[in-house]
Every structure is written in structure tokens, then in C-alpha cells.
Amino acid sequence: MTTSEPTCRSAAPRTQAAEPASDPASDPASDPASRRTTRGMSRTAFAGIATGNLLVLLDTSILNVAVPDIQTSLHPAAAALPWTVDAYTVVFAGLLLAGGVIADRWGARRVYTLALGLFAALSVACALAPGAGALIAGRAALGAAGAGLVPASLALLIHQNPDPARRTRAIGAWAAVSGLGAAAGPVLGGALVELGGWRLVFLVNPPLALAALLLARRLPTPPARTGRALDRAGLVLSTAGLGLLTLGLVEAGIQGWEGPAALLPLAAALGCFAAVAAVERRAAAPVLPPALLALPRVRAAMVAAAVSCFAYFGGLYQLAVWLQHAYRLTPFDAGLAALPMTFPVCVMPFFTGRLVARHGARPVLLTGMAAAVVAGALLACAAGGRPPLPLIVAAELALAATGTLSIPGAAAAVAVAAPGEYAATSQGALNGIRQAGSALGVAVLGTSGALTGSGYLLMGVGAIAVLSVARTGD
């Protein structure tokens, strides 16, 4: 029942014909069977939305433990081997903002279902790749499909939950269900590699994508903004800037910061971002609307998202490599060793959504940033070749708190603060910044070597983020 209904009834004459409209039995919303059907459709739509995003997170981590098997099977050049994993990240990060703009313009449901179908088909192509070049190309194409899935799925979730409090809880549940992908990736990938080799890793995706497509038949259909002009120059420059930034950060992690393979893309990325700033001032419909960046809560959420992904994914990568080296773990055991960081991603976001709904985003984001400082302090104490394992587990749990509070908290904050017509665009921008933070974390923490150095760096970055978020009103 809407708030306008009492006015409409009071304006109508009291006739027999008008009475059935006020009869509860004639109102479908008051029928228990109808309410159960509506709740069932809502749960089905939510499952379809969360499954697609689960696929994206699964593919960010499931292939890491398969790299040695890929090297044995395909014999790629040493410089090409890391790109079997990183091609996905570079393209995904570069196209996220574009994916959000396209979903807002042509319809989130249409983009989402198309991206799901592509994700399934491209996963099969990756599994059948005859060489490293084909696998890298397939992973890059998977990144493009993933860039369509994430902002479109969040736009659908926002449309399905117009009430702000319910929306933040739904985003927490969405992040938790999606987090199954991050948690299951290393363990599932290690088990599949030991069972039948790296190709099995890609054959997990098609059944999940098919299930999401079947559930997507009941997804809501947000209105598309087809009348809004498309800022093609801004879209191309921002996509190139994000892609080049991620490329440079990945190359810095592989070959070091002093080489041209890292410095040239980073310089080109800065040039693209400078050009975006100049072009957007004259654009009739900027690709990243100034109205979004003018919102303090949006800016705070973007800072928190970038720092939390820097800490969480950079720490996850460094600890996975360090534990295998220090304790000589198998791929499956390395996946199990990551559970203190990955398992909370499946549970905590349920509570994060409720915390944001009850207390607002700023306290939740501040707690997440403080957890990064705690994780840094613990890692700074991890001196020596094999420090006490409980110390490492405590650091993993603190990093898990950083990710599970700040990442879904930032998504909820942007979902509430951003205007509805920019739902997918704002989430695409947020996720693009997140991916840049992730790539920077892997590049910096993954090449720092000692855990103590990473710990001091996390303490500094986390403290700066705490001060930045604290200055912003909720």
C-alpha cells in the first residue's frame, strides 16, 4: 500500500463501487499467499544476482594455485606465465567503470544476462586453450565479462531494495554469498589441480553461470537511461587509464619498479587521467558525474575501499607465497592456510550490512581501517624465518576484518549516497578503484619480501585512511 492511496480514497465519493478498493481481501498485497510468492521471487532474484558476482570473485583467486601446473603443461615463457592470472585483473579493472556506464544506459538486466552467458562460454574456451597465448587471451576476455557482471549485479540489487536500511542489509548478504568465491577459490583450485590439472579449474564456471541465468529470469528490470548522452571520449580515456594503471602495477610486482615495463604504463595512466579531467569539464554527460565525487560519503567510501583492498588482497597474496616458502606447503595446504582470511568473507558481510544500517557507514569504515593498522602491527612483529604461527593467524584475522568491514561497507555507503540514476556507474567506479587498490597491494606487498616491512607499510597506509574517513561526516 502506497502513501498516496489514502488521499485517492478520500477524494472519491463514498459509493458502493469504491468500497472494494479498501477491502483487505481484495488487496493482493494483503493475501498471505501473494506475500509468500513475492518473498520467494525476491529470494530467487537475490540468488541470481549473488551467483554472478560469486563467479567474478572465484576467478580472482582460483587460478593462483594452478600456476605451477600451467607452467608444466603449457611451458610458457617466464615473462608470460604471470599473465595467465593477471590478464583477468588488468582488463577487469580497466572496464569496470565502462561496465557501470553501459549498464546504466542499456539496462542492468540486459548487461548482466549477456555477461553471464559470455562468462560461461569463455570459461570453456580457457579450459580448451592449446597454449599460453590462447589462455591469456581467454583470461582477458573473462575479465571483460566480469566487468559487466559486478556493477550490473549491484544495480539490480539496489533496484530490488529501494529502502536504504533493507538495501544495506541486502548488500551485506550479497557480499557474504559472493565471498564464498574468494573463500573457496584457493581450496577448490588446489583440490581440482591435484585431481585432474589446471583445466578443471575453468569448468567450475559454466554450471554456476547457467544456474545464475536460470535464476535471472525473475530479476527486476531497472529503467535504462537511454536518453542520456554517452561521453565516449571520457569512457575511452578512463578505461585506458584504469587498465594502464593496473598493468603498470602488475608489471611492478613482476619485474620491479625501476623497469620501463612498469614505469611507462604508469606514466601513460597519469596522462590518461589528466586528459579525463580536461575532457570531463566540457562533457555534457561526464562518464564519472561530478555530482558523485562531490558527495563526502562517496569519497570516504572510495578511500576505504582502495585501502582495504590494498591491505586484504596484497596481504593474502604475500602470506600465501610466504607460507608455502616458509612451511613448504602443497597447493591444497596453502589454500587451507588462507582460510583465516577467506572464510570470514562468507560470514561477516551479513553483519556488516546490519551494522551500516544501524550505525551508518563511517563507524564501520573506521573500524575496518583500524583493523588494517592492527594487522600491520602484528606483521611488523613477525621477525625471523618462522615466527609463531598464532601471530600469523592473528594478522590474517585482522586483515579479514579489514576486508569484511570496509569492502561491503563501502559498497553499501555508495549505494545509499549515490542518486538512483547513477547506481551502476557509481558501483563501477567504486569497483574500479577497488581493483586498482588490489593490484597496488599485490605489486607492493608481494615484492616487499619481509613481513616486517609490509607491516610498517600497512600501519602507515591504514592510519592515513583512518584520518581521511574520520574527517568525512556520515
Side-chain angles (χ1 to χ4, degrees), residues 67-98:
V67 169
D69 191 59
I70 292 173
Q71 185 175 25
T72 302
S73 173
L74 299 181
H75 306 289
L81 181 62
W83 286 104
T84 59
V85 174
D86 294 328
Y88 178 87
T89 304
V90 170
V91 176
F92 179 53
L95 291 178
L96 269 169
L97 181 56

Side-chain angles (χ1 to χ4, degrees), residues 144-170:
L149 281 174
V150 174
S153 69
L154 270 167
L156 290 168
L157 191 68
I158 291 167
H159 178 75
Q160 189 185 10
N161 298 277
D163 176 69
R166 182 181 173 188
R167 181 184 300 169
T168 55
R169 290 192 295 269

Side-chain angles (χ1 to χ4, degrees), residues 5-422:
E5 286 175 349
T7 303
C8 294
R9 285 200 298 270
S10 63
R14 292 182 177 274
T15 64
Q16 187 69 25
E19 290 176 359
S22 62
D23 182 6
S26 66
D27 185 1
S30 66
D31 179 19
S34 176
R35 288 198 299 270
R36 285 194 297 271
T37 301
T38 301
R39 285 196 297 269
M41 291 178 65
S42 177
R43 293 190 186 102
T44 301
F46 173 81
I49 293 168
T51 302
N53 199 60
L54 182 150
L55 275 172
V56 175
L57 288 181
L58 182 68
D59 267 52
T60 61
S61 60
I62 194 171
L63 197 64
N64 292 339
V65 294
V67 169
D69 191 59
I70 292 173
Q71 185 175 25
T72 302
S73 173
L74 299 181
H75 306 289
L81 181 62
W83 286 104
T84 59
V85 174
D86 294 328
Y88 178 87
T89 304
V90 170
V91 176
F92 179 53
L95 291 178
L96 269 169
L97 181 56
V101 172
I102 291 170
D104 277 336
R105 181 176 174 83
W106 282 293
R109 179 177 175 176
R110 182 185 302 173
V111 171
Y112 184 72
T113 53
L114 176 61
L116 273 175
L118 287 173
F119 210 94
L122 291 167
S123 296
V124 174
C126 287
L128 299 175
L135 179 58
I136 291 170
R139 286 283 288 173
L142 269 178
L149 281 174
V150 174
S153 69
L154 270 167
L156 290 168
L157 191 68
I158 291 167
H159 178 75
Q160 189 185 10
N161 298 277
D163 176 69
R166 182 181 173 188
R167 181 184 300 169
T168 55
R169 290 192 295 269
I171 289 176
W174 170 87
V177 174
S178 304
L180 287 170
V187 179
L188 181 60
L192 289 173
V193 170
E194 293 187 10
L195 179 66
W198 64 268
R199 297 182 189 274
L200 289 182
V201 168
F202 291 102
L203 297 181
V204 174
N205 293 336
L208 290 174
L210 178 60
L213 279 171
L214 293 175
L215 294 169
R217 293 179 302 172
R218 294 191 176 186
L219 285 177
T221 306
R225 293 184 295 133
T226 54
R228 182 172 179 259
L230 184 63
D231 179 17
R232 290 181 175 83
L235 198 60
V236 170
L237 287 170
S238 60
T239 298
L242 284 170
L244 287 166
L245 174 64
T246 312
L247 172 63
L249 294 173
V250 168
E251 282 293 340
I254 296 172
Q255 300 185 26
W257 291 90
E258 68 281 356
L263 295 178
L264 290 178
L266 290 174
L270 292 177
C272 286
F273 291 139
V276 167
V279 167
E280 296 296 86
R281 283 197 293 266
R282 299 191 302 269
V287 66
L288 187 58
L292 286 177
L293 297 180
L295 298 170
R297 285 186 290 177
V298 171
R299 293 199 303 269
M302 289 184 174
V303 169
V307 172
S308 62
C309 287
F310 174 91
Y312 181 81
F313 289 101
L316 181 64
Y317 179 86
Q318 184 184 27
L319 286 171
V321 174
W322 182 85
L323 285 168
Q324 288 185 65
H325 176 74
Y327 292 94
R328 301 188 182 277
L329 302 179
T330 65
F332 181 70
D333 290 336
L336 291 176
L339 283 177
M341 281 188 69
T342 56
F343 179 73
V345 178
C346 308
V347 180
M348 274 300 297
F350 283 110
F351 302 99
T352 301
R354 289 172 170 80
L355 289 172
V356 173
R358 179 175 299 178
H359 302 290
R362 187 171 65 161
V364 175
L365 295 179
L366 283 173
T367 305
M369 297 297 94
V373 177
V374 172
L378 291 169
L379 290 177
C381 297
R386 297 181 68 173
L389 195 58
L391 181 67
I392 302 301
V393 172
E396 288 184 324
L397 291 173
L399 288 170
T402 300
T404 56
L405 289 172
S406 301
I407 296 174
V414 170
V416 172
E421 63 269 23
Y422 298 126

